[in-house]
Each structure stands twice: as structure tokens, then as C-alpha cells.
Amino acid sequence: MQNQYSFGGDMTSQRSLLRALGWTDEEIQKPMVAVVSAQTEIIPGHDGLDRIAKAAAEGVIAAGGKPVIVPSIGVCDGLAMGHAGMRYSLPSREIIADSAEILLRAHAFQAAVFIGNCDKIIPGMLMAAARVNIPSIFVSGGPMLVGRVKGGRASLSTMFEKVGAYNAGLITEEELQAYECGACPTCGSCSGMFTANSLNCLLEALGMALPFNGTVPMVFSERRALAEKTGEAVMALLEKDIRPRDILTKTAFVNAVTVDNAIGASTNTVLHLPAVAAEAEVEGVTIDIFSEISKKTPNICRLAPAGESYIEDLNFAGGIPAVMKELLDASLLDGDAMTVTGKTLKENVEKAVNLDESVIRKVSDPYSRQGGLAVLKGNIAKDGSVVKKSAVDEKMLRHTGPARCFDSEEDAMAAISSGKIKKGDVVVIRYEGPVGGPGMREMLAPTSAIVGAGLGADVALITDGRFSGATRGAAIGHISPEAAAGGAIGVIEDGDLIEIDIEAGTLNLLISEGELEKRLSAFRPKLKKVTGYLSRYRDGVSSASEGATFKK
């Protein structure tokens, strides 16, 4: 298969530009493969992607292609957390998708290797792959190793919780600094089952990455070898003309949501998988499908923040192939789904072995009979909300308490940090949704402050914003409709009783229907003053219940 620019005299001018880059006659004849790399020196998960991209490029060359490394932007959610910069994280997903589409289409690439690692980069790239639909494959940068502090293990979520403990006077400044210096010991995506690692694991379940993409640490030599194999694999996809939409079928998304619930992945997947499905023109991948699949999928992994294990432990236990083998043997996955290996999912995992049943439990002995995510509906969340059920203290699976209302994350943090939140309270943070934020900020800082202050088993938090995968506790996000769209979360008043029943899947404000209608009829939502991209984003974004995609 030849490069498009190698055809005929009408491409002579274009070939002259390739010669300006130093390309030889032989290189111009080869298929041109984009290696879309989100390398940057500001994101720990992406510092080092240049080495991964180089390895992938070597694989493309070995298999007869001409690789071209091209860029993608990215945002580190950890660095953006707790300030106005977080408003740009979810909106960056659309920019990543748009820019990758532009690069691939404008330069007539014939195939693509996508290399990202962190929260919005992978879903944005997946959206672009589904749009452009040229043979494509993914390889992530890999997770960082777990931190070790004071004889224990630690991660970024531990760090945020220790800040809460320090503010509550439970640890000293010296102890806090020890965690600061030890929580993140290497580069890579943060070490628990947070959003980045959730998506990188689900790439395997979707069939868009080679086995172990989600779990091999960035600092392992095996990660570089995996990248090289990925470069070779994309050339096989090109030869067989296997494209993303051949793989990203309804079956693939059902498999991914099943694995999502089995491993207790981040609530952010409820935003991203529907958005990717929309680009692939696959119908039926909605917030409701997560609820339906959760009810019949056992939770067999509990990694940090829900448990004591980390991604590196999952890797040594057999990785996502071992998880999928457990599910497949229980007839919970469709093994006939096509993958980027050119083989079916069943063929990919048939030799997988569960090497540590303390990390990957048997389906017959799960942590819980239902999945790690739960969707709640009720008069506060008519269109739905989501909680990481596997990370909720059992005492908080059912809770009724008085509302403490805040119209921004900053106001809520000030109250939590100053000890104004009491046992039994339900913290309500609104005007942080896709429109209200705008940008739907993550609430890791307030949830970690609650847990760090020792209130994780006594205080709930509900918001029209979202949560980091590192969040634990009774933290219910994605409430839709959001306050800025006239949703009922906007009319909750201090002292109103809120009833949460995660087991039953309900979230209700305990006032009469007549009183609720009266409040809603008089409600005039607030809109923050914003400029630039956030203004355009607010005008175009849809509800969180629809994946916060741009309106069609």
C-alpha cells in the first residue's frame, strides 16, 4: 500500500514539501502513519511519551510504514484541581478530538497510533478515531508506581486526603510534607483506579489497544516493548483494512461498561463512553446502560481509592486480560467482539491467568454482587446522577440528612476547611455542571477534605459537577438537569432533608411535590461571566446525562 502523495504527477508539489523534510524516495512510497503524541513536560503522565512515541514509530518502520509524530494538547487534572483551571479540563476533550481530526484529515494520513495517558486525552483521541475512521490503535504511557510513605502506600488521592487531615489538625506539617514528597514517586498516570487508568484499562475492553495497555507501569521496559508492538499492529490493521468503527460496535461498548463495573472504574467513564459512542454513531450507550449492566455485573476488583491495591498490583495479578477471562468464563462478556489484534476478545484472553485472587476476585466470590458504579434518579436528578458505589462506606449507602448548600466549589471548601460541616450533613455544590461551571469541574478537593477530616462515613456530597476517579465516599455527581439548566438541585435550601439510597438508586429532596413545583416556577438560574473558549463551550455543550458532548 502506497502513500497517497506518491501517486502521479498531480502530487509533485506535495512531494516537494515532503522532500523538504528530508524524506527519501523509499519513504515517500510507504503508507504514512500518524503517531499522535500528547507529550508535554507539565503532566507527569505525559512526560516520557516522547519515548513511547519513538518506540511506536520504530514498530511502524519495522512493519513497512512511514511514521510521522504529530502533537496533541493535554490537561493534568491533578494540577488543575481546586482552582479555575479545572474549568478547562473537560472542555479540552472536544479540542483534542477536533485537533486530531484536523491533523489526520488535512494531511491524508492512512493510519494512526494514538498515544496519551491522562483523563481527557484518551477519550478525546477515541472520539477523533471514531470520526476519522482510518485504521487506528492506542497505547498509553502507563501508570506511575505507588508511593511509599511512613511504611505505608500512598497515591495522589492519599495526598489530597492528607491535606484535609492537616486542615483538621489531625497531622503535622512535617507529616504532610512527607506525603508530598513520597506520594508520586515516578512519572506515569496516577497509581490508583482513577480516571486516566480507568480509560486506559477500558481501551482493552473496547478492543482498541493491545493486552496490558492499561496496567504496565510507565517506568517498565515492557511499556516500550508494548509501544513497539503497537506500531507493528497498526500496519496489520491497515493491511486488513480494520477500522475503528469495525471495532467500536454496541457489543464493544457493552463489554467496556461491564469491565468498568467489574473493576470499579471512575465515574467519569459515564461521560466519556457515551461521547465516544456518539462519534461512532452507536446508539443506546447512555447513562441508563451503566445502571442496567451494573445490576448484573459483580465488582471483582477494588483498587485505590476503593481498596488497598493499586494498578501495579493489578498488572502483576494478570491485568485486564485476567479480569476479562473471569468475566468471559461467567458468560458476562461477548467474546466474539473484534479487537486491534485482528483477533476476537476471547482469543486475546484465552491464555490469561488470575495470579492473585486478593486483587482479582473470582466472579463467584466478588466484593459485591453488583458493579462499582451506581446511577441514581429522583426529584433532584430527574435525568440521573452517578456515584462510585464501590468506594462508599457501607454506612452511607442509605443516608438522610440536612442540606448545606453552596453555589461554588470554593464556597464549599471554605466551609469544610473551617469545620462548619457536621456529621449527618449533605453538602450540595451547584453551578458546577457543564453549563454552570462552565466546564464541569472535578470535586476531589472537597471530597478529600471531608474524608481527611474523618467525616467520610458521616457526610454525603452531591453536585452537578463531577468527581475525580480518586474520590471516595458518598460523593454523587453529574446531577442532571444541572442548576444552570433549571434543575432541581438549584432550588434546594439549607436545612432541607435529602434522602440518598444508593442501593435503591434514588436521590430525593424530601419536600412536597407542590412545594418543589412552586420553587422551580420561581427559579432563575445564575450564569457566570466567562470569555473565550469557555463562553463558546457553554453555548454548545449538552447535559452530563448525554456525555457533555456538543449539541448536534
Side-chain angles (χ1 to χ4, degrees):
M1 185 180 294
Q2 289 182 308
N3 180 332
Q4 178 171 313
Y5 295 123
S6 66
F7 298 158
D10 58 344
M11 286 292 169
T12 303
S13 299
Q14 288 86 341
R15 288 197 295 272
S16 72
L17 292 170
L18 298 180
R19 293 186 186 281
L21 295 169
W23 289 25
T24 65
D25 288 344
E26 291 77 16
E27 287 175 315
I28 291 174
Q29 294 296 318
K30 292 177 180 179
M32 194 166 71
V33 179
V35 179
V36 186
S37 171
Q39 158 70 22
T40 175
E41 295 182 356
I42 192 60
I43 305 177
H46 287 209
D47 185 43
L49 290 190
D50 53 346
R51 296 187 295 276
I52 304 298
K54 183 180 178 183
E58 289 170 353
V60 171
I61 292 169
K66 171 58 180 174
V68 184
I69 297 176
V70 293
S72 171
I73 67 162
V75 171
C76 175
D77 279 29
L79 289 172
M81 196 76 65
H83 59 87
M86 179 51 77
R87 291 195 175 97
Y88 287 89
S89 175
L90 183 58
S92 76
R93 185 187 71 181
E94 313 308 314
I95 296 290
I96 291 161
D98 290 348
S99 61
E101 175 192 356
I102 289 167
L103 277 167
L104 297 175
R105 291 262 191 234
H107 300 109
F109 283 105
Q110 290 156 281
V113 178
F114 288 94
I115 303 175
N117 216 20
C118 293
D119 295 32
K120 309 307 167 294
I121 294 90
I122 293 298
M125 288 177 168
L126 270 170
M127 291 164 70
R131 278 185 208 170
V132 179
N133 203 34
I134 58 175
S136 300
I137 192 169
F138 284 70
V139 60
S140 73
M144 66 171 63
L145 297 181
V146 65
R148 298 184 183 276
V149 184
K150 298 175 72 65
R153 305 170 95 194
S155 68
L156 182 66
S157 64
T158 314
M159 189 65 245
F160 273 93
E161 290 174 11
K162 293 302 177 182
V163 172
Y166 173 73
N167 288 336
L170 301 178
I171 64 171
T172 66
E173 186 175 351
E174 289 73 21
E175 289 175 300
L176 182 65
Q177 186 175 24
Y179 280 96
E180 177 185 333
C181 295
C184 301
T186 71
C187 280
S189 49
C190 296
S191 56
M193 187 55 77
F194 311 151
T195 304
N197 291 327
S198 296
L199 267 297
N200 289 329
C201 289
L202 294 187
L203 282 170
E204 295 183 50
L206 283 168
M208 289 299 294
L210 298 182
F212 292 96
N213 172 75
T215 58
V216 174
M218 175 178 267
V219 296
F220 283 15
S221 299
E222 187 182 349
R223 174 60 59 178
R224 181 181 172 88
L226 181 65
E228 191 164 341
K229 291 177 184 175
T230 299
E232 294 174 359
V234 80
M235 295 304 296
L237 292 172
L238 181 60
E239 179 67 27
K240 297 174 183 176
D241 195 30
I242 298 174
R243 298 169 182 257
R245 293 195 188 190
D246 298 325
I247 296 170
L248 294 173
T249 63
K250 181 68 175 293
T251 296
F253 285 102
V254 170
N255 281 343
V257 175
T258 302
V259 173
D260 187 333
N261 275 285
I263 63 176
S266 167
T267 53
N268 283 310
T269 59
V270 183
L271 289 173
H272 300 317
L273 291 181
V276 176
E279 297 292 355
E281 298 184 347
V282 174
E283 296 181 354
V285 183
T286 65
I287 191 171
D288 293 322
I289 200 174
F290 285 82
S291 180
E292 294 164 10
I293 292 175
S294 176
K295 291 174 184 176
K296 57 187 179 183
T297 304
N299 178 216
I300 59 174
C301 292
R302 283 208 174 161
L303 279 66
E308 300 300 318
S309 300
Y310 290 81
I311 295 294
E312 65 183 74
D313 301 314
L314 178 57
N315 185 62
F316 290 127
I320 296 301
V323 172
M324 292 197 291
K325 182 68 160 55
E326 293 284 353
L327 297 172
L328 193 61
D329 288 348
S331 301
L332 293 170
L333 292 179
D334 188 329
D336 293 330
M338 177 54 64
T339 74
V340 289
T341 64
K343 300 177 181 178
T344 64
L345 184 148
K346 181 178 181 179
E347 291 172 315
N348 285 349
V349 306
E350 61 185 352
K351 295 181 180 179
V353 178
N354 183 351
L355 300 173
D356 189 342
E357 291 183 14
S358 71
V359 177
I360 307 171
R361 287 197 176 183
K362 305 292 289 184
V363 167
S364 59
D365 181 34
Y367 285 98
S368 63
R369 294 291 172 188
Q370 295 189 349
L373 298 179
V375 173
L376 313 184
K377 291 189 176 184
N379 63 7
I380 295 176
K382 183 180 64 174
D383 295 335
S385 61
V386 64
V387 62
K388 191 169 184 175
K389 180 182 177 182
S390 59
V392 178
D393 188 286
E394 285 190 9
K395 288 168 54 180
M396 295 298 290
L397 291 174
R398 293 184 179 88
H399 178 76
T400 300
R404 296 295 308 279
C405 300
F406 304 94
D407 288 348
S408 70
E409 177 187 1
E410 288 83 358
D411 289 348
M413 272 300 295
I416 297 166
S417 300
S418 60
K420 294 179 180 177
I421 301 302
K422 306 302 180 185
K423 288 185 177 182
D425 285 346
V426 178
V427 176
V428 178
I429 305 178
R430 55 200 177 195
Y431 294 106
E432 292 289 5
V435 172
M440 203 177 184
R441 288 195 289 180
E442 283 188 347
M443 302 290 158
L444 179 57
T447 56
S448 297
I450 289 169
V451 172
L455 296 171
D458 301 288
V459 170
L461 189 153
I462 70 172
T463 181
D464 52 13
R466 60 192 178 91
F467 296 112
S468 165
T471 287
R472 63 188 176 112
I476 300 162
H478 302 204
I479 288 176
S480 304
E482 62 177 293
I489 188 174
V491 301
I492 300 173
E493 298 176 359
D494 280 340
D496 284 344
L497 288 180
I498 293 175
E499 181 184 65
I500 299 165
D501 192 333
I502 294 173
E503 297 285 17
T506 58
L507 176 64
N508 286 298
L509 179 62
L510 298 183
I511 61 175
S512 69
E513 185 176 337
E515 173 62 17
L516 179 58
E517 289 178 358
K518 178 182 174 182
R519 291 187 192 182
L520 287 171
S521 64
F523 180 41
R524 299 295 179 267
K526 306 173 185 177
L527 282 181
K528 298 183 180 78
K529 183 178 181 181
V530 291
T531 59
Y533 177 55
L534 288 182
S535 178
R536 300 197 302 276
Y537 180 82
R538 181 172 64 190
D539 290 343
V541 73
S542 66
S543 169
S545 64
E546 299 173 10
T549 54
F550 277 173
K551 299 168 187 171
K552 301 298 182 185

